[in-house]
Amino acid sequence: MGKNENIVILAIESSCDDTSASVIKNGIVLSNVIAGQKVHEEYGGVVPELASRSHQENIVPVIDSAIKKANIERGEITAVGFTQGPGLLGSLLVGTSFAKGFALSLGLPLIGVNHLQAHVLACFIQEENETVKMPKFPFLCLLVSGGHTQIIIVKDYLEMEIIGQTLDDAAGEAFDKSAKVLGLPYPGGPIIDREAAKGNPLAFRFAKPQISNLDFSFSGLKTSFLYTLRDEQKRNPEFIKERLSDLCASLQKCIIDILLDKLIKASQQTGIKQIVIGGGVSANSGLRNAIVETGQKLEWEYFLPKLKYTTDNAAMIGITAFFKYKKQEFTNQNVSPVARF
Ligand code: KG4
Ligand code: ZN
C-alpha cells in the first residue's frame, strides 16, 4: 500500500436487533445507515429468530444505501469490516456471511471486529468538516450496553484491560427489565430516560450493592424495585400509573449512582482522569449530566459520544476496522462469528 492511498472501509454491524452499514474513508464517516427492528417491541425483548430474519431482509438495502450516501464507487472500497461478536449467533451470521461474500467477490481483505471494542472506540468517530476532541491514552471507558457493563483501561486503540464488570445484569438490562415490570415496551431504557425527566429522583430508594472492588451488580436493585411495586400496588392498584415518572427518576438515579460510584473509584485507583463513556446506556441524559457534574468537580476530562454513536451502529465498527487496517490485522475468509468472547 502506498502512503497516499485512501483507506475506505465498508463496515457491517448485525450483532443484535439493528442492521447497520457504514462507509469510513481515512477515519472519517461518510455514511452510517441503521435499520431498526420494530418486531421485538411487543415481545418485551429481542426474539433471536425474528432478528436474524429481519437482518436478512435489511442487509442488502442497508449496504446499498450506505454506499450511495457515501457517494463512492464499490471499486474504491479497500476492506470490509464486520462485527464478529459478541452478540446473537444468528444475527452475527447474517453480517459475517455477507461481509465474507462481498470481500471475496471484490478481492478485498476482511476485518473482524469485537463489538465491545467498537463501542469504546466510538469516541474517535469523526464526520466530514468536523474536529472532534479525542481522548489521549491511557483513558478510562465506562462501557454500558444492553449486554455489558465494564470499566476498561484503554492503553491504545487496540489494547484494553477490563478492571471491573457486572456480576449479573448489565446496566441496559436493569433499565429494560425494570421497564418491563412497569408495563413499558422494549427497549425500556430510552422510555425511562424520558419519563425520568418529569419525576423526582429522590421519591423512592432502591437497594445498592456493597461490592468492594470495581465490579457491578444490579440484581439487588431489580429485586427491591419489584418489591416496591408489589407492596405499593397492594395498597393502590393505580400506583404505577400515578407515580410512573417518580419511579423512573428514582430508578435511573440509582443505576447512575451505582455506575458513577465505581467510575470515581476506578479513576482514583488508576490516577486516570480522562473519562470516556460508550454503549447504548451512554445515551442516557441522566448519566451524561452526572458525568459532566462529577467531571467538573473531580477535574476529569470527559468525552461523551454523539447520541447516534452510543447505540449499535456500523460507524463504530468501521472506525475500529480502520485502526486494525493500519496495523494490518486482517481476518481469514474461514472466520466464524462468536456469540461470546
Ligand atoms: O449498545 P446497545 O445499542 O446494544 C448492545 O450492545 O447491547 O445498547 C442497548 C441498550 C438497551 O438496554 C437500551 O435500553 C439502552 O441501551 N439504552 C438506554 C438509552 N438508550 C438506549 N438506556 C437508558 N437511557 C437511554 N436513553
Ligand atoms: Zn452494542
Side-chain angles (χ1 to χ4, degrees), residues 115 119 145 312 316:
H115 182 89
H119 270 307
S145 72
D312 290 348
M316 68 183 193

Side-chain angles (χ1 to χ4, degrees), residues 308-329:
K308 60 180 163 181
Y309 301 131
T310 57
T311 45
D312 290 348
N313 66 88
M316 68 183 193
I317 305 301
I319 196 78
T320 308
F322 172 70
F323 295 130
K324 290 187 105 170
Y325 188 99
K326 292 215 283 189
K327 292 199 120 191
Q328 300 281 293
E329 284 189 26

Side-chain angles (χ1 to χ4, degrees), residues 38-58:
K38 290 255 172 236
V39 287
H40 310 290
E41 264 176 21
E42 58 184 295
Y43 297 100
V46 177
V47 185
E49 179 52 32
L50 295 180
S52 343
R53 264 189 251 167
S54 300
H55 282 304
Q56 278 178 327
E57 284 165 23
N58 293 341

Side-chain angles (χ1 to χ4, degrees), residues 2 59 76 85 113 131 141 173 186 189-190 206 210 216 243 251 253 288 305 321 336:
I59 195 150
E76 291 177 63
V113 169
T131 316
C141 179
E173 269 176 302
Y186 178 87
F206 306 114
Q210 304 291 328
F216 302 92
R243 304 296 303 274
L251 173 82
K253 177 178 166 22
R288 295 171 84 92
S336 307

